[in-house]
Amino acid sequence: MLKYLEQPDRNNYQTLVEQYKEKIAHLEYRIAYLERIAKISQTLNSTLDLDMLLRSITQVATELTNTEACSILLYDNDTGELKFIPATASTVAEKLTGIPVPIDDSIAGWVFKKGRPMLIRDVTADPRWNKQVDEVSKFRTRSILGVPLKIKQQTIGVLELLNKQDELGFTQDDIQIATTLASQVAVAIENARLWRDLQKAYEELSELDRLKSDFVNLASHELRTPLAVILGYASFLRDEVSGQASQQLEIVLSSAIKLRNLIDDMTNLRHIKTRQIELSVEIFSMRELVQDVLAEFKSLMRAKSLRLKTAFLNGDDPVKIEADRQKIYLVIANLISNAIKFTPENGAIFVGLARKGQQITIRVADTGIGIDEQQQNKIFEDFYQIEPSMTRRFEGLGIGLSIVKGMVEIHHGHITVESVPGKGSQFTVTLPISIEL
Ligand code: ADP
């Protein structure tokens, strides 16, 4: 018992103090290390500048491990070799950039293949050491600590720390520091790669979009003129001839009209998407407009024996509205054309007009095939068609409703759909009586 109460002798006491001092110094060093790592993580999350990140990581790596240099090698899928990447702002790094290192018979290659750290205290005694690298860089390598750069279990390269500056050589701590920093480097490289791929995909997409726009522009422009000639001559000849020839010309004419409508649709969609749309606002009667549209589709409805029902407010109310007449015409024409297209023979179409406060609603309903609930939002997207185009029974590009929606929205209005599959659909367009421009 007494033994423990005795004063420790002076020597022992001194040793204990030394040991504590050492422990404190080590802890201080660990804290500084953790602070640096935390800083790097912060930078990693806030920047996509890979050069800057690698530079700061390699600098921290050499400082924390007390080494002379740090280099990063990445695996090149095309050549099957490792290559130095510029990770420090030094002339040595510049000279090394792009230099290939074989996977077999090299220290970095071993680390890469095995996916494990490797420590070489004296490179001159190791047959795998590649002298040529030193010859190119004019750097004299003595010792190497190599750790793998890993992303989700896959090794993408190697981080090397060169020439430990103190006599004891590399320690377990150095391996830990290098491994932690290597994981930061791997994440930074992966982020930069993903970002670069994303940028590339975006550029390709923009280019494709531009090409598509140019094509639509050119095609619609180049097609319009000959089509106008066909339309002109066909209608002139139809009026001149009689009998079977007249019927055949009618077919030519209706095909040419379909083609013109397709071109108009493509041009309109492009204008809506590029927001190059100009409104030519006037005051007109909505009732007259709907009647004009119905007159255009009369023969089509008759051909399918469709009954037409209308409800145009009370009496002769013209239902005046201030809007772009041509564009609203297109909206109603598209809805009625769809109603006819998707309603089997002997069905019915309903067109109604109503006014509520400062708004007008136009309803186009049919007793057609209907649209199931999941599809009801999608039909307003560009080129969306419920039936796949190859097996379709119906004609069309699948852009009519996206144009309709675009045109309605430029007028500060909105469009909704209600439908029961097998029973029919109803589209309701709501427009303000006066468009505020
Ligand atoms: P398109 O008619 O040229 O295919 P739209 O954009 O006008 O293109 O319509 C998109 C799709 O919405 C159509 O292919 C069709 O599947 C569906 N659809 C539109 N209107 C109706 C309707 N009245 N009845 C049933 N389905 C419809």
Side-chain angles (χ1 to χ4, degrees), residues 7 23 38 49 119 231 237 250 285 291 294 346 358 427:
Q7 284 280 332
K23 272 198 176 141
D49 182 345
L119 211 164
L231 275 167
L237 287 172
E250 190 68 55
S285 156
Q291 276 164 340
L294 286 173
N346 302 314
Q358 292 301 299
F427 287 83

Side-chain angles (χ1 to χ4, degrees), residues 329-346:
Y329 188 100
L330 199 81
V331 167
I332 312 298
N334 256 299
L335 294 178
I336 293 178
S337 156
N338 275 350
I340 298 172
K341 190 159 61 172
F342 296 106
T343 303
E345 287 188 4
N346 302 314

Side-chain angles (χ1 to χ4, degrees), residues 287-301 308-312 329 332-333 336-337 340 349-352 364:
R287 185 191 171 112
E288 264 175 40
L289 181 140
V290 174
Q291 276 164 340
D292 286 353
V293 180
L294 286 173
E296 189 190 322
F297 286 98
K298 214 165 151 189
S299 54
L300 267 182
M301 281 195 248
L308 172 69
K309 275 196 229 162
T310 51
F312 290 163
Y329 188 100
I332 312 298
I336 293 178
S337 156
I340 298 172
I349 308 257
F350 168 84
V351 182
V364 177

Side-chain angles (χ1 to χ4, degrees), residues 104-120:
D104 295 320
D105 300 324
S106 75
I107 295 168
W110 189 94
V111 175
F112 179 81
K113 256 197 309 199
K114 302 275 173 191
R116 287 205 307 268
M118 183 190 222
L119 211 164
I120 309 231

